[in-house]
Amino acid sequence: MSKCNAIARNSDGEENSAVNDVEQGGAQAYVHDRGELHLHMNGAVPLSTIQEIMADEATSLPAGFDFERSMMRLAPSKSLAEYLAPWQVLRLFPKKRANLDRLAHAVLASLAENAVRFAEIRSSVPYLTGLQGCTPAQALERLLESTGSAAQQYGIRRGLILTVTRGDYSASNLATLLQAYEDIGRPKDVVGLDLAGDEETPYSAELPAMIREAKDRYGFGITIHAGETGLVENVRSAVELFHADRIGHGTAAGKDPDLMDLLAAEDICVEVCPISNRLTGAVPRDEAHPLQEFRRHGVPFVICSDNPAIHKHGLADDQAAAMAEGLSICDIQQQYEVAKRFSFMEGLS
């Protein structure tokens, strides 16, 4: 095992020297640069910005929804559905074009505070289309403009991943997304496709072939949310049916050695979100995170933040949480290079 000279900071902020497999209680790796590969845009909007936008748009909270209590996820949820309760509000904005700019700048500012140098941001164009009363092509163009302007302001390279949600309309929604992408000239900043949503919800039978075709035709990277709710077969389907390049969460794979060997052989990266994995119940309190199993089987993984605003944490905190799950300081300091290697964006330096 190679050694890695590093600097760690203990709970008092003092610097300590460290090598590859040495961990120190309460220490965090001193990291200059980070890359973010699994970030949901609305889950990254600071709560204060949400309140400002909702006030500006005169948007009312759903009945019985307590903003201060229901928008944050700070303790493990009983189910993924309970964890997703904030989306009752997160899907209600932004209705105004100017507030999309406000939202994007708040998200990119938070990334900059975490020393993120490049980020792949996931967003749902259909929901934005409905909110802003525009065509899918216009919604995609606005999303690219808003995130691009904010990224430039904060010196962050960003790519956009288009999210398709599982369900009966998944194939038609993907077709609409791809047509919008064509209509605005196949912008290079759209770098990938993501399949998300309740893993127990069926998707259209033609969807896997459509995603494979889009990958071949446009060069998109493919990332599939799979194995977050304990369904090992969804991870295998992501590989075999969708030809995924990365797996979102994938925690269930840690229970299947053969599947982990497949991920390693195919060099498929797992997007690990340590804080989210505990809060959603993907990794129960009394179980070890599968990170160490991934390492033992040679499965590549990258630490990500998922929905940092509703956790009141950022990527730096997720990397610290990964250390608490058993990663070394050196592992964390190597994450930037790992993120570059598995990014869907080209020309990262």
Side-chain angles (χ1 to χ4, degrees), residues 37 119-125 140 143-144 158-164 174 177-178 181 186-195 210-211 214-216 218-224 243-246 271 342-346:
L37 300 188
E120 295 178 1
I121 300 173
R122 301 170 193 224
S123 188
S124 172
V125 170
L140 178 55
L143 191 58
L144 286 165
R158 73 88 183 85
L160 187 65
I161 293 178
L162 303 180
T163 294
V164 178
L174 175 58
L177 284 174
L178 296 178
Y181 174 72
R186 300 187 182 186
K188 62 180 179 57
D189 290 345
V190 177
V191 299
L193 295 176
D194 167 40
L195 178 63
M210 291 177 66
I211 286 182
K215 178 178 181 177
D216 293 340
Y218 302 117
F220 289 149
I222 304 300
T223 175
I224 306 291
H243 295 183
D245 301 291
R246 301 197 314 246
E271 302 156 355
F342 289 98
S343 172
F344 297 154
M345 292 186 284
E346 297 181 355

Side-chain angles (χ1 to χ4, degrees), residues 29-78:
Y30 182 67
V31 178
H32 290 283
D33 304 302
R34 295 186 172 93
E36 172 64 83
L37 300 188
H38 188 123
L39 181 81
H40 294 279
M41 186 165 176
N42 270 23
V45 184
L47 300 190
S48 58
T49 303
I50 293 174
Q51 290 176 307
E52 291 169 2
I53 291 175
M54 292 185 69
D56 181 59
E57 297 180 350
T59 301
S60 300
L61 291 172
F65 193 96
D66 182 278
F67 190 90
E68 295 298 329
R69 184 182 71 251
S70 301
M71 279 301 295
M72 292 183 289
R73 287 293 171 266
L74 306 179
S77 300
K78 296 177 182 177

Side-chain angles (χ1 to χ4, degrees), residues 77-144:
S77 300
K78 296 177 182 177
S79 66
L80 183 60
E82 180 182 287
Y83 170 84
L84 293 174
W87 268 261
Q88 295 176 51
V89 168
L90 294 175
R91 62 172 177 246
L92 299 178
F93 66 90
K95 298 173 186 174
K96 295 182 180 179
R97 177 69 179 82
N99 283 333
L100 180 59
D101 290 339
R102 178 187 290 185
L103 182 158
H105 278 262
V107 170
L108 271 295
S110 296
L111 290 174
E113 290 173 0
N114 279 265
V116 171
R117 307 305 177 206
F118 65 90
E120 295 178 1
I121 300 173
R122 301 170 193 224
S123 188
S124 172
V125 170
Y127 106 92
L128 188 61
T129 300
L131 284 172
Q132 302 216 338
C134 61
T135 68
Q138 289 171 327
L140 178 55
E141 198 162 39
R142 292 176 185 183
L143 191 58
L144 286 165

